[in-house]
Structures are given as structure tokens and as C-alpha cells.
């Protein structure tokens, strides 16, 4: 199993995975429909920030790692990994058709000797649907589901250190996937496809709920004019059971929210905790704007700056960032809105931003922002500028 191709290979999950396999001597091809990402990788450039990936890319690109939009390469592979996006639709239902459509497009290029691995975060039952489609077309399914669990931006470090959940639709596929991932992961945990699908969704939903608890408490406390972080620090001080209590913050990005909603759809939309978490996390932007209003009075005609547009600190990914919701809310208040983010092109330089803004909302605490002395009225739910 030396030749591995990754469909969706130039995305946030595909690149760390491809680099990890390449670093262990596999012959890796990243197949992607995004020509700009393919071009960047081929030229030895990352299309987005990914810690530690630069050196690996330079070491392997053009040697045992290639990127291409030419899907015909799939025919020559031993392993075909699918890691394209799995969003929810406008009614928050999983778009299962998207996964199936991608698979169908590649079916004519697959053969039954190849190991097919699903790595996207999928709705429970999708592995079995894909199994049926492979059997119908190829007469057999050599299929595994091995979910990705890295945290975005730190994939290279994590991929070599996290245990890998491995499941297969039969023992042959499970063993083949376990052997492949044993080359990069320190530990293989074997479970059934249905269990692996749920394990991944439950992990993300649990994380989303953790943030919701912190955000709910933040709003509860701050509304009374008290300081959430003074209480949080007191709670956590030498008290082991509160050690992992999350800080408040805009809980956004392409995974946690949509995977909580996938899990809810799986449970007939009766995942009440998940929906409550959504109300809390999605409601935080409104609370932040009201906090600023409490400090500044009406925001109409005032210039308000949002510092940080990415969905998480020290990252350049703006997908599903709640800073954009803050921006819309401020515009509804008829404020003039400025945005700055050192990692997002087209935003205002920090110095000019600080000079022009009458008030500031911290959208995301990039390292460079944490030590700033902000002398204007501000709202910082992350607890950096206290
Ligand atoms: N981003 C993360 O940190 C993370 C972590 C764990 C799991 N996941 C899951 O992994 C999956 C992918 O997420 P992502 O963040 O890497 O998405 P992404 O959008 O960064 O990457 C997906 C890539 O697939 C490509 N693509 C789309 N259709 C294609 C096709 N037909 N053929 C070839 N390429 C195609 C896109 O151009 C894109 O480069 C999702 O299910 C997500 O939930 C993501």
C-alpha cells in the first residue's frame, strides 16, 4: 500500500494527512478541484496557515508528494482517501448527497483491490451507504472509515500524536486501514463504522457544549456587572475538577456547530443540549454588542472596530467565523464598522484601526492582540485585556 491519493487533498485535513504519509515514505497524490490550492502546493506553498507544515511540504513536494486536478491518477492508487467537506444545509440537516455525489464521480476510477477510506466527518450510516454503492459498482467493498480528529492549524503536531480510530466494513478493510495508519499514529483503536461515526460527532458536540457552558456563565455573570474571569480563576485555582473549564469566546468555525447539528439530526432533532448550546453560542455576539452599548451608549454613527476575523486564534481561516455576525449586528445599530486581522488580507492595518476606532470588540485573540493596552472602550469576552 505505497501509493495513497487523497480526494480533497489540498484542504485543511488533506494537507496534514498527505504530508504525514509522505514523511513516512508513501507516494502521495493530493487530488483537488481547487486549482489555486493545487498550484500553491505544487509550488511548495501552503494555501493557508498550518503550523509545522511548511518544512514538510518543501521536503516532499515534487518528490513523493504531488498535487493535481487530474482525477485519472486515482486509477493507479493502492489507497483512495476521501476528505471533502460535509456541511449541513440551510435547515441544519446533513447534506448526505454531497458525500455520495463526490463518491459517484470517482466510482468509475475505482477498483475492488483498492482500499477506500472515508475521513470526512460523516452522518451516521453514510459508511454503509458508501459500502452498498461500492458493492453495486465493483462487486466488493474494501472500505474503511477513519475519522480525522486533529485541531485545525496544529494538524502536523497532532496527527503523529493522536490515537487513530479505525473501522472497516469487514476485517480485511479494517486490517488494511489499521496497517496504513500505524505508520503515522502512535495507537490504533479499532471500532465499528457506526461507532466511529458517532465517536467523531459526539467529540465535536461535547466540545461545542463545553464552550456553550462557559459562554452562558460569562453572560450570566457579566450581565450582573461582575467579572467572569475573576470567578473562573477562583474556581480553577488548585481545584482539579474545574481544571479543564473552558474560557468564554466566540465558538465558531466549520466543524463544531455543524457536527452538533448532524448529531441532532441523527437523534430526530431531539438533541436538546445541542440546540441549547447553539442558542447560547450563536447568541454571544448579540450580548457582546449590548455590552459595548452599555459602555458607549448608542452606537449609531460611531466607529466600532472588530479585532480578529478568523474563527480561532493565530489562524487565517474565516469559515463560519462569528466575527461576521458581530459585524452585521453593529451595522444594524448603524455603526461604522472597521475590521482588522493580521492573517486576513484586505483588512485594516492594526495601527490605523486603533487610531480610527471609537470602541473595540475583540473577535479573536491572536497572540499579537493579547498584550495590547487598549485605551478605548472595549469588549473582550476572551479575558485577555483585563
Ligand atoms: N478542518 C478541520 O480541522 C477538520 C478536523 C477534523 C475533521 N474535519 C472534517 O474533514 C472534512 C473536510 O474538512 P476540511 O476543513 O479539510 O475542508 P476543506 O474545505 O478545507 O477541504 C476540502 C477540500 O476538498 C476539495 N474538494 C471538494 N470537492 C472535491 C472533489 N469532488 N474532488 C476533489 N476535491 C474536492 C476542496 O477544493 C477543498 O480543498 C469535513 O468533513 C470536516 O468536518 C475537519
Amino acid at each position: 500500500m505505497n501509493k495513497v491519493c487523497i480526494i480533497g487533498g489540498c484542504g485543511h485535513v488533506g494537507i496534514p494527512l498527505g504530508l504525514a504519509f509522505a514523511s513516512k515514505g508513501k507516494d502521495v497524490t493530493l487530488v483537488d478541484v481547487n486549482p489555486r490550492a493545487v498550484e500553491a502546493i505544487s509550488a511548495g506553498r501552503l494555501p493557508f496557515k498550518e503550523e509545522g507544515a511548511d518544512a514538510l511540504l518543501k521536503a516532499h513536494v515534487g518528490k513523493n508528494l504531488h498535487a493535481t486536478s487530474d482525477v485519472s491518477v486515482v486509477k493507479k492508487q493502492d489507497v483512495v482517501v476521501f476528505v471533502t467537506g460535509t456541511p449541513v444545509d440551510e435547515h441544519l440537516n446533513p447534506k448526505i448527497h454531497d458525500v455520495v455525489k463526490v463518491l459517484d464521480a470517482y466510482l468509475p476510477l475505482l477498483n475492488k483491490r483498492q482500499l477506500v477510506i472515508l475521513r470526512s466527518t460523516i452522518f451516521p450510516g453514510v459508511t454503509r451507504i458508501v459500502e452498498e454503492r461500492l458493492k453495486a459498482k465493483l462487486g466488493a467493498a474494501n472500505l474503511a472509515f477513519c475519522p480525522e480528529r486533529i485541531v485545525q492549524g496544529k494538524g502536523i503536531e497532532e496527527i503523529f500524536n493522536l490515537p487513530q480510530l479505525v473501522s472497516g466494513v469487514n476485517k480485511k478493510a479494517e486490517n488494511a486501514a489499521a496497517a496504513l495508519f500505524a505508520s503515522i499514529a502512535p495507537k490504533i483503536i479499532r471500532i465499528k463504522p457506526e461507532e466511529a461515526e458517532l465517536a467523531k460527532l459526539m467529540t465535536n458536540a461535547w466540545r461545542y457544549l463545553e464552550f456553550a457552558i462557559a459562554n452562558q456563565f460569562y453572560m450570566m455573570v457579566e450581565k450582573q456587572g461582575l467579572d467572569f474571569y475573576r470567578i473562573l480563576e477562583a474556581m480553577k485555582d488548585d481545584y482539579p475538577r474545574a481544571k479543564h473549564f473552558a474560557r468564554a469566546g466566540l465558538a465558531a468555525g466549520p466543524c463544531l456547530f455543524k457536527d452538533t447539528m448532524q448529531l441532532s439530526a441523527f437523534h430526530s432533532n431531539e438533541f436538546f443540549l445541542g440546540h441549547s448550546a447553539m442558542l447560547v453560542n450563536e447568541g454571544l455576539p448579540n450580548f457582546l454588542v449590548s455590552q459595548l452599548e452599555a459602555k458607549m451608549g448608542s452606537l449609531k454613527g460611531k466607529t466600532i472596530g472588530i479585532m480578529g476575523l478568523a474563527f480561532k486564534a493565530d489562524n487565517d481561516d474565516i469559515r463560519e467565523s462569528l466575527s461576521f455576525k458581530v459585524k452585521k449586528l453593529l451595522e444594524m445599530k448603524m455603526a461604522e464598522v472597521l475590521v482588522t486581522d493580521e492573517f486576513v488580507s484586505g483588512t485594516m492595518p492594526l495601527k490605523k484601526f486603533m487610531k480610527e476606532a471609537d470602541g473595540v470588540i475583540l473577535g479573536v485573540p491572536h497572540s499579537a492582540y493579547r498584550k495590547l493596552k487598549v485605551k478605548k472602550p472595549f469588549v473582550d469576552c476572551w479575558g485577555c485585556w483585563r
Side-chain angles (χ1 to χ4, degrees):
M1 289 196 307
N2 204 41
K3 288 172 82 66
V4 179
C5 86
I6 303 176
I7 313 295
C10 295
H12 291 81
V13 165
I15 289 176
L17 182 66
L19 290 173
F21 282 139
S23 75
K24 300 297 177 189
K26 304 286 179 206
D27 182 354
V28 177
T29 307
L30 306 177
V31 178
D32 206 292
V33 292
N34 178 346
R36 280 195 309 163
V38 168
E39 200 184 303
I41 291 289
S42 304
R45 281 182 285 111
L46 289 165
F48 44 78
K49 259 174 83 68
E50 185 64 51
E51 228 173 273
D54 215 35
L56 276 182
L57 179 60
K58 293 209 163 54
H60 294 282
V61 73
K63 294 171 191 152
N64 65 334
L65 181 119
H66 298 88
T68 182
S69 297
D70 174 11
V71 298
S72 70
V73 297
V74 170
K75 287 184 187 164
K76 301 175 213 146
Q77 308 297 320
D78 303 317
V79 182
V80 183
V81 183
F82 285 88
V83 71
T84 53
T86 49
V88 288
D89 68 15
E90 64 276 31
H91 305 290
L92 307 177
N93 296 308
K95 292 171 88 174
I96 294 164
H97 277 112
D98 281 15
V99 184
V100 173
K101 235 166 64 188
V102 173
L103 176 88
D104 283 354
Y106 287 89
L107 264 182
L109 305 166
L110 299 176
N111 65 67
K112 63 179 173 192
R113 285 177 307 282
Q114 292 169 322
L115 172 66
V116 176
I117 299 179
L118 303 177
R119 193 154 179 81
S120 304
T121 305
I122 50 176
F123 187 68
V126 165
T127 307
R128 294 297 174 189
I129 294 175
V130 172
E131 178 188 13
E132 289 308 311
R133 290 182 107 75
L134 289 174
K135 278 183 177 164
K137 176 77 184 171
L138 310 175
N142 194 18
L143 174 67
F145 171 59
C146 307
E148 181 58 85
R149 297 196 294 167
I150 55 168
V151 66
Q152 195 166 316
K154 297 204 185 301
I156 298 296
E157 183 194 326
E158 288 208 344
I159 209 162
F160 294 112
N161 290 305
L162 293 180
Q164 177 63 50
L165 302 182
V166 168
S167 68
V169 297
N170 51 47
K171 260 291 167 240
K172 184 178 162 220
E174 183 191 300
N175 288 341
L180 176 71
F181 279 103
S183 67
I184 57 171
K187 182 174 172 184
I188 301 296
I189 300 169
R190 293 170 184 250
I191 47 175
K192 293 183 192 147
E194 295 74 11
E195 294 168 340
E197 290 167 341
L198 280 167
K200 174 63 196 179
L201 289 181
M202 284 160 63
T203 305
N204 276 5
W206 170 67
R207 194 93 183 104
Y208 192 64
L209 260 70
E210 279 193 318
F211 292 134
I213 293 169
N215 288 336
Q216 176 89 81
F217 287 168
Y218 171 82
M219 291 188 264
M220 189 185 283
V221 164
E222 297 271 330
K223 200 171 173 186
Q224 300 305 322
L226 293 165
D227 183 338
F228 171 72
Y229 285 98
R230 272 181 64 81
I231 300 176
L232 188 69
E233 277 160 23
M235 281 164 60
K236 291 174 77 155
D237 196 346
D238 273 344
Y239 189 69
R241 280 176 290 289
K243 200 168 139 203
H244 298 294
F245 206 103
R247 297 172 82 80
L250 294 171
C255 289
L256 299 189
F257 171 80
K258 67 107 175 154
D259 290 340
T260 305
M261 292 305 111
Q262 290 209 77
L263 193 55
S264 181
F266 171 71
H267 193 46
S268 313
N269 289 323
E270 288 174 1
F271 180 20
F272 304 121
L273 280 176
H275 284 282
S276 299
M278 174 182 81
L279 295 178
V280 172
N281 289 335
E282 293 286 312
L284 184 62
N286 303 65
F287 185 77
L288 301 184
V289 171
S290 69
Q291 275 190 302
L292 194 64
E293 273 179 322
K295 291 185 179 184
M296 297 180 70
S298 167
L299 301 180
K300 187 174 171 183
K302 294 190 178 137
T303 303
I304 306 301
I306 302 171
M307 194 180 289
L309 282 189
F311 85 83
K312 64 189 291 188
D314 298 328
N315 202 287
D316 59 359
D317 193 345
I318 57 168
R319 289 181 295 171
E320 315 303 330
S321 163
L322 280 174
S323 289
F324 292 94
K325 183 165 181 179
V326 174
K327 183 169 181 287
K328 277 186 208 153
L329 293 168
L330 290 170
E331 284 163 355
M332 289 296 293
K333 301 280 179 191
M334 290 185 266
E336 182 74 29
V337 185
L338 310 177
V339 289
T340 187
D341 191 310
E342 56 176 319
F343 301 117
V344 180
S345 62
T347 65
M348 193 177 254
L350 183 59
K351 225 169 166 181
K352 188 166 155 51
F353 170 96
M354 283 306 231
K355 205 164 141 204
E356 293 188 9
D358 299 320
V360 176
I361 293 181
L362 183 61
V364 72
H366 292 319
S367 300
Y369 302 160
R370 288 181 205 161
K371 291 199 182 90
L372 289 176
K373 295 252 172 305
V374 182
K375 297 201 182 82
K376 319 235 167 152
F378 66 80
V379 169
D380 162 26
C381 64
W382 306 87
C384 301
W385 297 337
R386 302 170 51 235

